[in-house]
Amino acid sequence: MWNEPYLETCCRSALHRLKLSGDHGRPTGLRDDPCLRRLEGMGLARTDHNQRFAMTEQGHARHRTEILKLPT
């Protein structure tokens, strides 16, 4: 049963870019900022003390299932 909120294509791309950014995260104010804020609201990303977006554990899990299409 599907019980996770739908991610628009742009937000899936932002989630993948966030994963690729690794420990450095992504700065605020970029073109994908609205998607990163949406991901933050969903608990998939967070803003750290340097005002950079970082992926949460929940974000890693969602990236694994939705972007990489790996089993849970």
Side-chain angles (χ1 to χ4, degrees):
M1 178 178 200
W2 186 260
N3 61 0
E4 296 177 341
Y6 176 74
L7 283 181
E8 298 287 339
T9 302
C10 57
C11 292
R12 285 194 306 269
S13 296
L15 182 64
H16 186 60
R17 285 190 296 274
L18 188 58
K19 172 71 174 178
L20 294 175
S21 68
D23 293 335
H24 298 293
R26 290 191 52 82
T28 58
L30 298 177
R31 291 184 73 174
D32 60 356
D33 197 72
C35 287
L36 291 168
R37 297 221 179 268
R38 181 171 184 232
L39 294 173
E40 185 176 32
M42 297 170 70
L44 304 177
R46 62 175 169 73
T47 308
D48 66 12
H49 64 282
N50 292 324
Q51 296 302 305
R52 296 179 74 87
F53 289 99
M55 190 175 282
T56 63
E57 288 301 317
Q58 186 179 356
H60 283 287
R62 185 74 181 260
H63 181 270
R64 179 181 168 85
T65 58
E66 188 149 341
I67 308 301
L68 300 179
K69 306 290 186 196
L70 297 173
T72 56

